[in-house]
Amino acid sequence: MRDDRTLDSQITPGDPIDRSDDTPLHDRPTGLRSAATYARKLLPAPARARAALAAGVLCCLGLTAVAQGARDDSAADPAPVAAPSALAERAEADAASRGLERAPAATPASPTPAADPDTATPAPKKTKRKPVDPAPVAGLDNAQMENAEVIVRTGRKMDMPRRAFVIAVATAMQESNLYNVASGVLPESQNYPHQGIGWDHDSVGLFQQRSSSGWGEVGQLMDPEFATRQFLAALAQVPGWQQMRLTDAAQAVQISAYPEHYAKHEWRATEVVEAILEAGQ
C-alpha cells in the first residue's frame, strides 16, 4: 500500500499542484520507480525535483545492498572441486616437474591356452586283439569246435606248450569224438550238461575218465575244463613226453587197449589247434 504521507511531506505549501492526472488512485502504478514517475506528474516542478533526488538516492542504496548481498553469497559458496581427471593430470604434471618417474603398471601374464581336445593328437593306444570264435575246421561241428577251444584255453592257463594242445585234442577225438559224453552205466553223470551217452563202464567226459580210477568226482569229470586239467597234469608227469610220438604220449596217460589209434587224429588236431590260436583264443 502506498504511503501518501511521504509524498505530502515533500510538498511545500504555496506550490502549485498539477491536477492534470485524473487516473483513479487504485489504478495508479505502485513501486519505487512508478511512484517517482507519478510524483513528477502530480507535484509542482520544485517538489518534483526534490522527489526525483530522493528516488535516485533510494535506487543507489538498493543497488548497493544487492551488490553487497551478491558479494556475501559468493563468499559463502565453497571453491569448486576439481574433477578426478583434472586431479590426476595435475598430479602427473607435478611429478614431471619434480623429475619423478612413475613405475609402469605390471602387465598380467597371459595364461597358456589349454590344448584343444578336438585338435590334440591322442597318444597311440595299444590294442589287444579280441578273441573270436573260429569257424569249425577239419570236419568238426560247432559243439566239437567249442570243446576244442576249451582244451586250448585251459592249456594256455597252465602254461603248457603248443604240443600239449595237439596231443590233448587228438586224444579227445579218439576217446569221445570231442563230445562231452555221459555214461549210461553211471546215471549220475546224466544229471550234468552232456552231448551224448556212452556205455564204456563208468567212463565220462571228453577224455572218458573214470571216477573209480581216481580221476575225480563224476560231476567234476563232466566239466570239460576240469577234465582237461586232469589230462594235461598227468601228461606233464610223463618223462620226455615232448619228444615222444603223439600216440605214445597219449597212451602213457590213457593206458588204452588200442595205443596206436591216437596217431590217426594228429593232422586234424594240429589244424584245429592252429585255427584256435590264430583266432586269439
Side-chain angles (χ1 to χ4, degrees):
M1 181 175 181
R2 187 175 66 247
D3 191 356
D4 293 334
R5 289 175 299 176
T6 303
L7 297 177
D8 293 339
S9 63
Q10 298 177 11
I11 300 174
T12 303
D15 293 338
I17 297 176
D18 185 2
R19 302 292 186 179
S20 61
D21 188 359
D22 296 332
T23 305
L25 292 178
H26 62 274
D27 292 335
R28 295 176 184 177
T30 60
L32 185 59
R33 186 172 299 177
S34 298
T37 304
Y38 183 75
R40 285 195 299 270
K41 294 181 179 181
L42 185 61
L43 299 178
R48 286 200 301 268
R50 289 193 297 269
L53 178 60
V57 172
L58 291 177
C59 289
C60 292
L61 291 176
L63 292 175
T64 303
V66 172
Q68 182 63 34
R71 284 195 300 269
D72 294 340
D73 293 340
S74 63
D77 293 337
V81 180
S85 58
L87 292 176
E89 294 175 358
R90 186 181 303 172
E92 292 180 358
D94 294 342
S97 63
R98 292 192 298 268
L100 300 178
E101 295 181 359
R102 298 181 62 184
T107 302
S110 58
T112 303
D116 187 356
D118 295 333
T119 58
T121 303
K125 296 182 179 179
K126 294 182 179 180
T127 57
K128 185 177 179 180
R129 185 178 179 182
K130 185 178 179 180
V132 295
D133 293 331
V137 296
L140 302 183
D141 60 22
N142 289 329
Q144 292 170 307
M145 196 69 179
E146 289 176 0
N147 289 331
E149 292 177 28
V150 173
I151 292 174
V152 173
R153 286 197 301 266
T154 303
R156 295 187 67 179
K157 292 178 182 178
M158 297 175 65
D159 294 327
M160 296 293 287
R162 181 193 187 102
R163 179 67 174 171
F165 308 158
V166 176
I167 295 174
V169 171
T171 302
M173 286 179 174
Q174 173 61 31
E175 296 292 348
S176 65
N177 198 21
L178 263 178
Y179 289 118
N180 192 28
V181 178
S183 174
V185 178
L186 193 64
E188 179 188 353
S189 64
Q190 301 176 30
N191 296 330
Y192 302 94
H194 57 280
Q195 297 164 326
I197 297 177
W199 297 92
D200 185 10
H201 304 291
D202 59 345
S203 300
V204 297
L206 291 177
F207 298 94
Q208 289 293 283
Q209 296 159 332
R210 301 175 67 178
S211 59
S212 61
S213 299
W215 285 97
E217 300 294 333
V218 175
Q220 293 175 323
L221 297 176
M222 291 299 296
D223 178 10
E225 183 174 348
F226 179 85
T228 301
R229 284 183 176 275
Q230 293 296 85
F231 176 84
L232 292 176
L235 178 64
Q237 297 300 318
V238 176
W241 66 269
Q242 297 187 55
Q243 288 76 38
M244 291 180 180
R245 295 188 306 159
L246 181 146
T247 190
D248 293 338
Q251 175 63 15
V253 175
Q254 295 298 103
I255 315 298
S256 172
Y258 308 97
E260 295 296 328
H261 286 184
Y262 301 107
K264 62 184 178 182
H265 302 290
E266 183 170 359
W267 70 270
R268 295 175 66 219
T270 301
E271 184 179 354
V272 170
V273 169
E274 288 179 354
I276 294 173
L277 293 177
E278 288 177 0
Q281 295 288 346

